[in-house]
Amino acid sequence: MINLTETQPTAAGWVGVRPDSTTMPTTSVVNFTPGQTSANQVVVTFDQYGDARLYNAYGHVHLIADFQGVAGCGQDLPFFPLAPTRVLDTRNGAGAPRSALPGGSAVTVKVAGTNGIPAGAKAVLVNLTGIAPTTGTWLAAYPRGTTRPTASNLNLDQGAIRPALALVPVGTDGSIDIYNAFGRIDIAADIRGYYLD
């Protein structure tokens, strides 16, 4: 599982995952317009050499892949899906103060031990939505009490509203942090499921 970010595309287009060196993908995992930066969580398969293949349909684009986890090979944690459960909405004060998040700061969201998620949850699958940032920005979600990653989970242009799915390990206190890089932005977060040992 990777978080795939595209940036600086020269044309409108899309990127897909290629199952092998000869088969072209017929579906996209990231779509974009010229100059746009966007990200998406993607499940990829690897060939016998440990390689994953990505296909760019049009123009030129830079790709950034951030490793998020492995499924299979005896590494699985049991996953428990949930109906979307809102744990944060800065527009109405759900899960945090009612205030857009300033740039260079993070909001802490309690996830384990609340809303039907057991206290022992190791990670959550969360749908992050960035809402109307005052400038172009990016969001990163990560375990509370750890160093903020340099990779983004969601990239937004000024005024945009965009969601992205993220797999986020839970901090030892049962919380995750969501960081905003620039400007001010409202954020909503909906838990879609959790992982247990």
Side-chain angles (χ1 to χ4, degrees):
M1 188 173 292
I2 63 172
N3 191 72
L4 182 65
T5 303
E6 64 73 25
T7 189
Q8 300 175 9
T10 60
W14 55 273
V15 169
V17 177
R18 295 175 65 162
D20 56 52
S21 60
T22 59
T23 305
M24 291 297 157
T26 57
T27 59
S28 64
V29 294
V30 180
N31 299 75
F32 45 83
T33 57
Q36 181 183 30
T37 299
S38 57
N40 195 14
Q41 183 171 298
V42 181
V43 176
V44 297
T45 55
F46 296 91
D47 64 17
Q48 68 269 29
Y49 306 107
D51 295 328
R53 292 182 171 84
L54 302 171
Y55 171 79
N56 175 40
Y58 305 104
H60 297 275
V61 65
H62 292 284
L63 298 177
I64 304 161
D66 299 299
F67 176 77
Q68 290 199 309
V70 176
C73 305
Q75 303 286 331
D76 291 357
L77 296 176
F79 176 71
F80 298 88
L82 292 174
T85 303
R86 181 144 297 178
V87 293
L88 173 70
D89 193 332
T90 60
R91 296 169 298 177
N92 62 21
R98 182 180 175 183
S99 176
L101 185 64
S105 65
V107 60
T108 299
V109 184
K110 179 75 169 174
V111 291
T114 65
N115 297 297
I117 303 166
K122 299 299 181 188
V124 289
L125 191 61
V126 59
N127 193 67
L128 296 174
T129 303
I131 304 158
T134 58
T135 189
T137 190
W138 54 270
L139 304 179
Y142 54 100
R144 173 78 173 156
T146 65
T147 302
R148 176 177 55 83
T150 56
S152 63
N153 293 103
L154 178 59
N155 303 80
L156 298 108
D157 295 326
Q158 181 179 357
I161 299 174
R162 184 176 301 147
L165 197 61
L167 176 61
V168 186
V170 176
T172 56
D173 69 348
S175 301
I176 63 173
D177 281 346
I178 303 171
Y179 172 83
N180 172 41
F182 306 108
R184 296 181 66 85
I185 186 171
D186 279 306
I187 302 170
D190 302 293
I191 303 296
R192 304 300 303 268
Y194 59 90
Y195 289 85
L196 288 175
D197 266 341

